[in-house]
Amino acid sequence: MTSTIDQLQCWVLRAPIAEPVANAFGAMTNRPAVFLKLTACDGAFGWGEVFSNFPQVGAEHRSRLASSIFAPLLKGLPSDDPDAVRAMLDQRTRQMAIQCGEPGPFAQITAAVDQALWDMSARRAGVPLWQHLGGRSGKVRVYASGIGPDKVVEVMQAKHQAGYRAFKLKVGFSGERDVANLQAARMALGTDAIIMCDANQGWQPDDAPARIAALAPFNPYWIEEPIAADWPHAVWSELATRSAVALAAGENLRGEQAFSEALQAGYLGFVQPDVGKWGGIGGGLSVARQAAHAGVAYCPHWLAGGIGLAASMHVLAASNHADGWAEVDANPNPLREQVFPVDVRDGWVTLSDAPGLGVEPDLQQL
């Protein structure tokens, strides 16, 4: 007899931080997280995390949306078919999302539900999720992210001491500051260090080629979201032809068709879906397969709490992408560090053999 979904629970958590986490369009003055738990009628359960970084007031809204809209839709559904549940939620909430102009929050909650169902599935099987999904190894390559615009060299050197061998610098500020930061990082870390750059959609198509050209002499590994994600594929393709650095994007794409079109257009060297923004585990694996076919590296995006980080790493391991990278935030965040601490050894993290995501958040402590 099929076990059905019995309950959805959400917790909104906020961690105070001493220094805001800045990027090209704003800053986080605290670290929010929305943790979601699904429980089935047989007692099985799984965890997921909803994207809630922006806007800073959005975490409570997403939790209430999950409790008021998604909990009734999920109750009584089969708990052993994550793909079917995700497709049903997409279909059942499509008109609602259009009506209120909020396709993002609806997709983000659906993504967390997908994570939780896959976590539940692997827990039932008694194996880690990466293995449950066909991964050959639980070892994933990582890079330290969210670095800059201040204390760039200090943070990168500290993360190098902590085992990282690749680092992502935030750009999209003034041209002089971006170049100075990347130049300083390259001089401090040497020619062999891998340094990515993330502009957070900070440039206009007319400006981006010159901004990238100014950074290119310092050998950035990729330029992430140099322009807004919703510019037409022709604009992205034109930029790619004028860029000496490979382009990366995907955290702000939504839907399999959007990823398929972007990969077919051929302008991305790295594709970066986010398990908490769209698609969860199942959607991420679908993009990973498309990326492998297109010869594009699959590098899941994540910059929030520990549940989503675990999901991101497990889906990368399950994808068997030898050229992929997992993103690990370099900024302090107890909602990540106390939930899913990572041990980085020479640029790699080895996932545990614990069933599912291997995550058990201590909600009382948090």
Side-chain angles (χ1 to χ4, degrees), residues 326-351:
E327 178 175 26
V328 183
D329 188 2
N331 297 285
N333 184 356
L335 301 179
R336 180 192 73 249
E337 297 153 355
Q338 294 181 26
V339 173
F340 187 66
V342 294
D343 180 18
V344 183
R345 303 288 181 94
D346 200 25
W348 294 81
V349 168
T350 301
L351 297 170

Side-chain angles (χ1 to χ4, degrees), residues 173-198:
F173 304 96
S174 72
E176 295 79 8
R177 191 175 201 187
D178 291 346
V179 170
N181 275 339
L182 181 55
Q183 182 179 24
R186 180 57 71 199
M187 290 179 64
L189 295 174
T191 57
D192 292 337
I194 291 175
I195 305 176
M196 302 88 161
C197 289
D198 184 358

Side-chain angles (χ1 to χ4, degrees), residues 7 17 28 103 112 128 134 139 149 203 217 225 262 278 281 293 318 341-342:
Q7 187 179 34
I17 52 177
M28 286 183 281
K139 193 174 181 182
W203 302 324
E225 288 196 322
W278 170 81
I281 301 291
H293 183 73
V342 294

Side-chain angles (χ1 to χ4, degrees), residues 64-155:
R64 290 166 183 157
L65 190 60
S67 299
S68 64
I69 300 294
F70 283 78
L73 287 175
L74 287 164
K75 190 172 178 64
L77 290 180
S79 64
D80 58 354
D81 195 342
D83 289 334
V85 171
R86 181 163 57 90
M88 185 280 297
L89 289 178
D90 284 342
Q91 188 270 325
R92 291 287 299 276
T93 63
R94 180 186 177 196
Q95 289 165 282
M96 300 180 200
I98 295 170
Q99 182 69 30
C100 61
E102 292 193 283
F106 279 83
Q108 293 154 14
I109 296 165
T110 299
V113 168
D114 183 90
Q115 296 170 44
L117 287 174
W118 277 116
D119 183 28
M120 184 188 300
S121 179
R123 286 172 186 268
R124 280 189 173 127
V127 297
L129 181 58
W130 64 264
Q131 183 179 334
H132 187 56
L133 292 169
R136 293 189 290 269
S137 169
K139 193 174 181 182
V140 294
R141 190 167 54 165
V142 299
Y143 67 92
S145 179
I147 302 172
D150 301 315
K151 301 180 181 178
V152 169
V153 170
E154 177 185 333
V155 173

Side-chain angles (χ1 to χ4, degrees), residues 29 50 74 86 113 159 171 184 199-200 210 213 222 230 249 252 308 332 334 350 353 362:
T29 57
V50 185
L74 287 164
R86 181 163 57 90
V113 168
K159 290 299 171 181
V171 295
N200 287 115
W222 73 51
D230 63 354
N252 291 310
T350 301
D353 291 329
D362 184 337

